[in-house]
Amino acid sequence: MIPTDFNNKITTKKGNIGEKLIDAFLIKKGCKFYFPGFNGSHLFDRFCYRIKKDGTIESFIVEIKTKPRRNNYPDTGIDLHSYNNYK
């Protein structure tokens, strides 16, 4: 049986695991974040910010990709078109 619901797709479930790992990492680094409040396509996964020791605010966007490790190739796991869009 092929899942038709976005949340039941294997790739979505793997992505959710990756997002939880990154969320935990960001929280340990003192970051707070916002993310799209809906399922489906969106521009980025997280908008993050943290207040640095000197009082300045550092903000950045995080796009999370959960891919298997490729030991023989030093690649990013995304295609060139997506890379250029993110850049």
Side-chain angles (χ1 to χ4, degrees):
M1 180 177 167
I2 299 173
T4 55
D5 181 41
F6 179 78
N7 291 319
N8 289 327
K9 290 183 176 183
I10 292 172
T11 54
T12 302
K13 290 180 180 182
K14 286 181 184 178
N16 290 341
I17 292 169
E19 289 180 0
K20 287 179 183 178
L21 290 170
I22 296 300
D23 288 348
F25 173 80
L26 292 170
I27 289 168
K28 284 183 183 177
K29 295 291 184 180
C31 295
K32 298 186 188 295
F33 46 86
Y34 297 96
F35 52 92
F38 59 90
N39 291 327
S41 181
H42 44 269
L43 294 175
F44 52 84
D45 291 326
R46 304 283 185 272
F47 174 79
C48 302
Y49 74 94
R50 70 177 173 173
I51 301 171
K52 296 168 67 173
K53 291 180 182 178
D54 64 2
T56 60
I57 298 174
E58 176 182 46
S59 63
F60 52 95
I61 291 173
V62 177
E63 178 63 25
I64 303 165
K65 298 293 181 197
T66 307
K67 303 275 185 179
R69 177 182 293 206
R70 290 182 46 148
N71 294 321
N72 298 323
Y73 303 96
D75 57 12
T76 63
I78 61 173
D79 59 39
L80 184 59
H81 176 75
S82 294
Y83 172 78
N84 288 327
N85 281 340
Y86 296 140
K87 192 168 94 176

